[in-house]
Amino acid sequence: LQRQVVVAEMPVHPLVITCMGGEQERQTFQATAAAAVEQAGGTFLPADPGPAIPPEGYSDLEHLNLNGAPLFSRFLGEYLAELDEDLP
């Protein structure tokens, strides 16, 4: 049985990205996180290729609600299924 560690960046409300310094800071975070995860042998999955979560998909600025969670869950499930197909 082969195992693969995946670290998924959770989507946050766009206001969080703005408050944390904007898209450039987010990209810096993603690059740093990806390098650390990959150095440890894992895979980093950034949130931004995922589904667009509408503002009503958040219960607050950091947490998905019953409208947003199924969108991200579907995206994550499809990604993990593809990853599983690629394992020997």
Side-chain angles (χ1 to χ4, degrees), residues 2-4 6 76-88:
Q2 190 171 27
R3 297 177 189 199
Q4 175 71 38
V6 176
L76 183 59
E78 289 171 358
Y79 177 83
L80 293 174
E82 287 179 23
L83 187 65
D84 187 50
E85 290 174 2
D86 292 340
L87 290 175

Side-chain angles (χ1 to χ4, degrees), residues 9-22:
E9 176 189 21
M10 297 302 294
V12 293
H13 193 281
L15 286 175
V16 172
I17 296 167
T18 301
C19 290
M20 297 301 285

Side-chain angles (χ1 to χ4, degrees), residues 27-84:
Q27 291 174 1
T28 300
F29 163 78
Q30 288 174 329
T32 302
V37 171
E38 290 168 9
Q39 183 179 9
T43 300
F44 178 72
L45 176 61
D48 54 5
I53 308 291
E56 60 273 6
Y58 294 90
S59 59
D60 58 28
L61 294 178
E62 298 176 339
H63 298 95
L64 299 174
N65 62 21
L66 293 176
N67 297 315
L71 299 173
F72 185 74
S73 293
R74 186 176 312 114
F75 162 72
L76 183 59
E78 289 171 358
Y79 177 83
L80 293 174
E82 287 179 23
L83 187 65
D84 187 50

